[in-house]
Amino acid sequence: MNRWRGAAVAAALAVACAVYAWAFLRAESQQALAILVLVAVAAGAVATRTRVFDKVPPVPERLAQAFALVAVAGLCLALREDDFSLLLVARVLIVVLACLGLHIQLGHAGILNFAGASFFGVGGYTAAVLTRSTGLPHLLVLVAGGAMAVLIGTLIVVPVLRTRGHYAALITIAFALLFRTFLEVNDSLGGPQGLKLREIRIGPWRFNDPVELGPFAGSFYLNYLALLLVLLAIFWIVIQRLERSWIGIDLDAVRLDETAAATFGIEIARWKILAFTLGNFLAGVAGAVSAHMVGFIAPNNYSFGESLVLVSILLLGGVGNPWGVALASAIVVILPEKLQVLQEYRFLLYAGMVVLILIFRPVGLLPRRMRRLASSP
Amino acid sequence: MTLGLLGQYVMNGVMLGMMYALVAVGFTLFFGVLDIIQFSHGDVLAFGAFVALAVWAALVKLGLVSPAIQLVLVVVVSALATAAVGALVARFVVLPLKGAPSLNVLLVTLMMGTVLREAIRLFYPGGSQPQRFPALLPTTGYDLGGFNLRLDNLILLAAGALLIAGTHLFITRTRLGLAIRAVAQDEETARTMGIDFRAVVLFTFGLGSALAAFAGAMDGLYYNEVYFGMGLLLGVIGFAAAIIGGLGNLYGAVIGGFLFAALQTIGAVALPFASAYKDVFAFAVVIALMAVRPTGLIGERASERV
Amino acid sequence: MRSMFAALCTVLGLASSAGAKDTVRIAFVGPLTGGNSAIGLGGRNSADLAVKLRNQDGKAKYQYDLVVLDDECKPDAGVQVATKAGSDRTIVAGVTHYCSVVAMATVDTYHRFGLPVVVWGAVLPDITYANDFKEVHRVNGTMINQNETNAKFVTERGYKRVAVIHDTTDYGKGHDKYFTQFLTKDGGKVLIDLGVTADQQDFTAELTQIKAQNPEVLYFGGLTPIGVRIRAQMDKLGLNAQFDGTSGIVNDDFIKALGPLAEGVLAFREGAPAEKLPHGKKFLEDYGKQGYTNPPEAYGPFAYAAAQLIMDAIEKVGPDRKKIAAELRKTKDVDTIVGKVTFDDHGQNTVPVITKYVVQDGKWVLWEDSEYASGKRKLRGK
């Protein structure tokens, strides 16, 4: 019986979130949005105070993921005519995908990657170059974007492995700055003018055409959303599997105490490389999809500031918890777009919020549950 | 490449090196005292430059037009204000996180830097545009055969060198400097010896920030311009320079600063596209260096508690 | 009960309140922050003026609402706001862009969403000529004519040795291409041609190289932020060439940032200054009455004209994107405050007048009216 109770609560939560998201995206007036924000903050405060979710029996991860997927799909269908809202949802999903990559690097292996946006950019530029000069099928192009990100990552993996803490930080920061400057001065990659991309085409399915299936008509963004949901589902499962496996435990050990882990015979280098590589792959794929969807990329999209935003999302959401990453991504992408007053101040707000979180609630919004190594019902 | 042209490049490199050195010295000071990297140092520098600009504008409004008086007042007020901000950041952001994992402190200071940068952009009138910084130093130049030697550049160089030397003397010859070095070496023992840890930390942050303000004013005087993003690149370069020279080592930081400037100048001269690739080149070399010697050329004077 | 529900809906913004006229939304896009913000704000104010005056006009069929978007003079931000405007179905047309880099990047986006736009300040020819999009129009001229006049002026003054420095965006490269083409035709010589990044800080490397060539004129193809830096650093290095710029530096911020160093700088742009335009005096009067903090600057009148043309089209065919685009394309000899506007088969208007400027005593002065023309003051090296 407990299991059904947990599942029911999870389903209710998923539906509630979807409805809230729909209302938030559709609301036009600033007053309405302000009210909705207050409602969310109040709900969060109440939930934390009463610890209501601790009393709920744990839900199997698969079920939770399924509910989330259905909820997001339902949200997209409800918004099917609204180009702008769908664009926002798509952007959130892309950011979640990229941040999941960074989350593997930080949450599992303790590598703080300040060049996340650069690997995202590698994916984008790879996609641009490949679709402009070759006829490679677009699905392969997406994979190539991820692969290129991995390849570029190997350039700095040696210094990253050999350093720790602030030294490692310097390497990724220097790389982030170097990457953007390189893109800007290099004319063969478009220079500051950037590059334009065509839509994704899988067989006869053209992603920039509006959806028309019999009586059902919707914005062309639904195509990209479908792809993104599939990608997210795949990678989320991969991450979850990773965490539950021996690899995940090894990575955690490496993150928590490298010296102790080494004394237990864990090969630090191998697991760090794995985490770094996998994280960059995700970021690259996300970048490739994003480039196609927007249709345009420029060096400015991939600056150090953007990398900092990705890192902020990780910290805000709670390091080590993919649901936290999703929540924080949604907040960071959607809030400034809807609340116009925040638009100009958004970098100030993100940075300020991270400072406050680090001082007062370092675990983030949705902290990571302690690992239960014994099996649970 | 005539001798005059070479001289010009060298001069440019030396000026840049001096500015990087000043920033690097700040990083090294903070690290020495608290074992942390104050990532907002570059943006504190920008803050100092903008305070200097604001003070100058106020002085002009009040009718004080003598460049000498303006210069002194601008620098002094800016240094004091920036020192205060640095101490505040230490008190409310850095010290509370003393026990936290070092990653958190790194992130918090990085974000504080962003907060400062955005605050300047949003709240200073016209902050998103580059602002003209007045030329308060005499601008006479001596033309030495194709190479233009300007008095204001020489003064800036001399001032920078004096500041660094002064800081070194302060750290090594005064009681307060002794307290700073004691805390840097072993915090617990220093506390049992009666040294007020908090006061030392706040003072060090104030000192480092004042140095940043000087560097910011120098930057403004050299380029005749300040803009809100000027601190970001300077901060990263200063940090890289401090690391190259070995964190905690003051003269190492200075060497690191000039080394980075040398890398940039070599890149600008030797590479085909004038100065476009110089930053790429310099950072690439830094990354490669870190791969070979992870704790810098001179090496960090520290041990790690296991 | 029903009225409460209606009130609730209105508060939540889910229903529009009943009004006499339908509201039509037009977007304005320009650089409202950053180094070119003076021009962006001038354009925004001018478009806003046009909308306000039209709303005061009782004969108008619709109520107009100007949606202001900031492209920050960056192509990525530009594409983002263009996507925002394009995907928002309530926006039916746009008055877009001063920065050519941004305009080049966004033409595809507007085409994808079918949003008709009229460019008000970007001068790169490719924006209208490199594509066949029915949605894109431009009311100001292209950089070809201003560079032709620029080159002729320089050679007529007796200058022969010119160094060129330009930014590496398509905008700067365009200026470089056309100026070099016309200068060589007129008998001048380009000694050295260097590209710099649009946000570069330190130009000592480039300027040192240029100084070694000993040029008489330094031609600058780029925008105000780096124009200011180059002019200031020229002085620091003792490079005494005459500084010659393009429409990118004709604004007050350039002079404000340089102070006395701006004296004697040359620049050229298409279109007559506001006072000399056919309806210029009235425009300036109306503009002054609204009490805007920023002046219209060089391209304000074009933004005003663009907004006018769009609203005229909406009045004729209603708020439908496709119909507005078709109607705009038909524009022929329409009288606006910048003169008669005709869009050719690529949606481009021709602006015959090129104005020559020189900075005199902290102001942009028409060459013909300046003391440099009369001989009282001399340009560098003369």
Side-chain angles (χ1 to χ4, degrees), chain B residues 26-304:
Chain B
F27 272 108
T28 261
L29 265 179
F30 295 137
F31 185 79
V33 145
L34 259 190
D35 263 354
I36 62 142
I37 297 297
Q38 222 277 59
F39 261 116
S40 55
H41 194 57
D43 299 296
V44 169
L45 180 153
F47 177 79
F50 270 87
V51 169
L53 185 63
V55 169
W56 175 81
L59 288 178
V60 166
K61 272 231 175 81
L62 288 174
L64 282 157
V65 282
S66 148
I69 301 183
Q70 281 181 339
L71 186 64
V72 167
L73 276 176
V74 155
V75 167
V76 165
V77 173
S78 151
L80 286 173
T82 316
V85 166
L88 278 172
V89 167
R91 168 81 180 72
F92 291 110
V93 176
V94 176
L95 275 178
L97 280 164
K98 208 167 94 59
S102 65
L103 218 54
N104 285 24
V105 179
L106 196 146
L107 287 163
V108 129
T109 50
L110 196 60
M111 295 302 166
M112 269 318 293
T114 307
V115 167
L116 271 173
R117 191 163 63 241
E118 289 292 307
I120 296 175
R121 182 178 77 89
L122 292 164
F123 301 125
Y124 190 89
S128 58
Q129 291 140 262
Q131 301 281 325
R132 177 174 157 250
F133 198 87
L136 297 171
L137 295 171
T139 54
T140 44
Y142 308 100
D143 208 18
L144 307 171
F147 160 42
N148 197 14
L149 186 67
R150 288 194 28 143
L151 197 58
D152 53 359
N153 290 356
L154 282 177
I155 296 179
L156 286 174
L157 272 178
L162 274 174
L163 270 176
I164 294 178
T167 309
H168 178 76
L169 283 174
F170 177 81
I171 301 277
T172 49
R173 298 285 172 88
T174 66
R175 272 186 72 102
L176 193 44
L178 190 60
I180 293 177
R181 277 183 295 141
V183 165
Q185 195 167 44
D186 191 332
E187 178 205 324
E188 284 172 25
T189 313
R191 281 174 117 148
T192 58
M193 289 283 144
I195 294 178
D196 187 341
F197 174 70
R198 260 208 172 170
V200 167
V201 166
L202 291 179
F203 181 82
T204 313
F205 266 76
L207 178 64
S209 306
L211 276 177
F214 277 123
M218 265 185 66
D219 193 284
L221 286 167
Y222 182 56
Y223 287 113
N224 279 126
E225 177 192 295
V226 292
Y227 90 111
F228 75 95
M230 66 196 273
L232 182 60
L233 196 60
L234 269 177
V236 175
I237 292 177
F239 178 43
I243 283 190
I244 294 175
L247 282 171
N249 185 332
L250 197 117
Y251 282 116
V254 174
I255 293 176
F258 279 99
L259 205 70
F260 197 93
L263 278 175
Q264 278 187 317
T265 312
I266 292 173
V269 172
L271 293 175
F273 309 99
S275 60
Y277 277 100
K278 73 171 192 283
D279 283 337
V280 177
F281 174 69
F283 278 127
V285 170
V286 168
I287 292 179
L289 207 70
M290 301 284 291
V292 170
R293 294 199 65 135
T295 50
L297 284 177
I298 305 184
E300 182 186 336
R301 277 204 250 112
S303 59
E304 194 185 325

Side-chain angles (χ1 to χ4, degrees), chain A residues 3 131 164 192 277 281 295 328 333:
Chain A
R3 221 197 285 173
T131 51
R164 254 175 254 174
T277 302
F281 183 77
V333 172

Side-chain angles (χ1 to χ4, degrees), chain A residues 13-59:
Chain A
L13 194 63
V15 170
C17 286
V19 168
Y20 181 86
W22 176 84
F24 200 86
L25 287 168
R26 291 295 291 170
E28 295 281 321
S29 79
Q30 301 289 296
Q31 295 99 305
L33 290 162
I35 295 174
L36 284 169
V37 168
L38 286 171
V39 163
V41 171
V46 163
T48 331
R49 274 296 166 76
T50 61
R51 295 178 188 273
V52 64
F53 288 113
D54 284 353
K55 298 189 193 123
V56 172
V59 180

Side-chain angles (χ1 to χ4, degrees), chain A residues 196-277:
Chain A
K196 294 193 189 163
L197 290 112
R198 285 196 313 261
E199 60 193 335
I200 296 183
R201 273 174 225 180
I202 302 181
W205 186 14
R206 297 170 64 123
F207 274 52
N208 272 13
D209 283 349
V211 175
E212 270 155 39
L213 293 170
F216 178 79
S219 150
F220 68 94
Y221 282 119
L222 286 173
N223 301 315
Y224 289 99
L225 280 163
L227 177 67
L228 284 166
L229 281 174
V230 167
L231 285 172
L232 260 180
I234 296 176
F235 285 115
W236 197 289
I237 293 177
V238 165
I239 291 179
Q240 188 216 336
R241 283 250 143 119
L242 199 78
E243 189 185 345
R244 284 169 146 221
S245 70
W246 280 110
I247 301 177
I249 297 177
D250 279 342
L251 284 173
D252 275 342
V254 166
R255 184 188 90 245
L256 287 167
D257 196 330
E258 271 188 41
T259 327
T263 62
F264 273 90
I266 296 178
E267 284 181 57
I268 314 274
R270 183 212 281 206
W271 299 123
K272 273 190 164 179
I273 293 180
L274 177 72
F276 194 65
T277 302

